[in-house]
Amino acid sequence: MSPLPFSKISSPLNALLAATGLVAVAALTMPDVAERTRLILAVLLGGIWAVYVLQLIETLVMQRTRDVRDRMPAIVIDMLAVFVPLAAFLLVGSRDQSLCCAIWLLKPLRDSTFFRLMARVLTNEAHNLIGVTSIFGIVMFSAALAAYIIERDVQPDKFGSIPQAMWWAVVTLSTTGYGDEIPQSFAGRVLAGLVMMSGIGIFALWAGILATGFYEEVRRQDFVRNWQLVAAVPLFQKVGSAALIEIVRALRPRVVPAGAVICRKGDTGDQMFFIVEGRVIVATPNPVELGSGSFFGEMALISGEPRSATVSAATEVSLLSLYSVDFQMLSTSCPEIADIIRKTALERRGATPKA
Ligand code: CMP
């Protein structure tokens, strides 16, 4: 059964609808908006809600063949997007009804792979993040305690208790500095300087942990995807796992649309290509078609001569490219594969008449 065409909302359109709804919610909080405009905005919110009802039906009914665990985030978000505004319409006073449409803030999360990536990074780095957060807590409490001892007699209204001094500690540690609470004594100012510097260090640690976590996770995902692609090329199937890891790191995936030229006769060639899926046409005098598992572009890579023929995509083609420096690595770690590639290059050179 195909999904309802009007309920199959692509993720950019979904985000656009949510953004439009949220702008309408924000506009409705402005006191000087005319009654007519209010009515138009309310109808707009109703329209978006109706589209979300269709989307919920699609998620629940049309996609029921998909694993429920995969669909769960979408089901929860789609239900909240429909039932929270509905409950608000039925139960809440008219002034705040539209505010409940702010639940649509969750809608862009539904299709985003970024948030799934972020969840994985947070899970992987939880240990380190908790460590730095603990340091933040320790420094904050120590700063509040010290500020209380130093400033309580000078400014009892602002530093008269540790909870009061805690606000100053948070504002100073985050280097926000609202300026509503300022140490007056010399010792208090020295303390403020130290707290600010500690804050910069702690935030740098947080940023560093998250940046490294993202980098590692993206690399891991790329590795898994490349591994699956490399495993689909018969030439690599007999390679030992250590060499395969090197090959996976060296090969770069690329998808070329049908009709596009991949390499042109006469150009210099510093890379060769393995076909994972799809077909290419080699424009030799008797054109040759190469399919999944074949490779091309090896002649220029090995000989250093210009490309012998133009190669273009006959269908959309998924490729893995290997640069000449990595070919040297392949020659060392998998000499048998390098030999097959060299032998094929020689055979093709013999079969390709000089233009
Ligand atoms: P290269 O010369 O680097 O770029 C064009 C590629 O087309 C070439 O490497 C070979 O991989 C491929 N090619 C050239 N001639 C033939 C042929 N006769 N049969 C199959 N492939 C060829």
Side-chain angles (χ1 to χ4, degrees):
M1 205 188 320
S2 72
L4 291 170
F6 42 83
S7 64
K8 199 179 176 224
I9 303 166
S10 67
S11 51
L13 181 59
N14 207 356
L16 184 74
L17 281 177
T20 311
L22 294 169
V23 169
V25 169
L28 281 167
T29 61
M30 291 159 66
D32 47 356
V33 172
E35 250 342 282
R36 211 174 111 82
T37 314
R38 276 181 189 282
L39 190 68
I40 294 170
L41 291 173
V43 170
L44 182 70
L45 288 178
I48 295 173
W49 183 82
V51 176
Y52 285 159
V53 171
L54 295 176
Q55 191 172 37
L56 175 63
I57 294 170
E58 196 229 0
T59 314
L60 289 177
V61 182
M62 303 297 182
Q63 294 184 15
R64 64 171 175 259
T65 46
R66 273 180 57 206
D67 187 352
V68 77
R69 266 177 308 173
D70 285 351
R71 285 187 301 146
M72 197 42 86
I75 291 175
V76 171
I77 290 176
D78 288 355
M79 282 193 153
L80 288 172
V82 168
F83 291 112
V84 170
L86 182 67
F89 183 73
L90 298 174
L91 308 171
V92 182
S94 64
R95 189 166 159 249
D96 290 335
Q97 268 170 357
S98 63
L99 290 185
C100 293
C101 295
I103 194 77
W104 295 342
L105 270 171
L106 295 178
K107 272 283 179 179
L109 307 192
R110 176 187 189 277
D111 309 298
S112 168
T113 49
F114 172 78
F115 292 100
R116 257 172 253 159
L117 173 69
M118 193 157 126
R120 261 197 301 276
V121 171
L122 290 177
T123 314
N124 294 345
E125 298 297 330
H127 194 68
N128 294 330
L129 290 171
I130 289 171
V132 179
T133 308
S134 310
I135 295 177
F136 182 86
I138 292 167
V139 174
M140 188 179 74
F141 194 89
S142 313
L145 178 70
Y148 164 70
I149 294 170
I150 296 170
E151 290 284 324
R152 63 184 158 183
D153 296 331
V154 189
Q155 303 182 72
D157 55 324
K158 289 179 179 155
F159 291 89
S161 68
I162 291 182
Q164 263 182 313
M166 202 82 94
W167 170 244
W168 169 84
V170 174
V171 169
T172 311
L173 204 49
S174 64
T175 64
T176 306
Y178 287 129
D180 54 343
E181 293 180 0
I182 306 167
Q184 299 297 327
S185 65
F186 176 72
R189 290 186 176 204
V190 171
L191 174 70
L194 290 175
V195 173
M196 281 176 225
M197 282 190 281
S198 312
I200 291 168
I202 290 168
F203 282 98
L205 271 177
W206 262 322
I209 290 169
L210 287 176
T212 316
F214 270 105
Y215 173 74
E216 293 285 334
E217 190 56 34
V218 169
R219 249 176 58 123
R220 212 177 349 255
Q221 285 183 0
D222 283 352
F223 187 83
V224 171
R225 190 192 50 191
N226 284 7
W227 185 281
Q228 285 162 348
L229 293 176
V230 169
V233 178
L235 196 61
F236 299 126
Q237 276 163 6
K238 290 191 194 82
V239 176
S241 49
L244 198 60
I245 289 173
E246 279 188 55
I247 294 171
V248 170
R249 291 216 174 104
L251 291 169
R252 279 153 238 270
R254 189 175 147 190
V255 176
V256 180
V261 171
I262 302 165
C263 59
R264 212 175 283 279
K265 184 175 177 172
D267 285 355
T268 48
D270 65 341
Q271 56 181 319
M272 64 171 293
F273 306 89
F274 298 89
I275 306 173
V276 179
E277 216 182 333
R279 279 173 288 118
V280 300
I281 301 245
V282 184
T284 42
N286 299 317
V288 182
E289 198 170 276
L290 302 174
S292 312
S294 312
F295 54 85
F296 61 93
E298 77 294 344
M299 287 166 63
L301 185 95
I302 292 169
S303 66
E305 288 175 9
R307 296 278 188 209
S308 60
T310 295
V311 183
S312 36
T315 60
E316 184 183 83
V317 61
S318 162
L319 299 170
L320 290 164
S321 60
L322 183 75
Y323 283 86
S324 48
V325 272
D326 297 317
F327 183 75
Q328 307 308 329
M329 176 277 293
L330 187 74
S331 305
T332 321
S333 57
C334 311
E336 62 286 4
I337 291 182
D339 283 349
I340 293 173
I341 294 172
R342 284 199 191 92
K343 237 173 90 188
T344 310
L346 280 176
E347 282 167 15
R348 285 175 176 173
R349 187 170 301 282
T352 309
K354 289 243 183 276

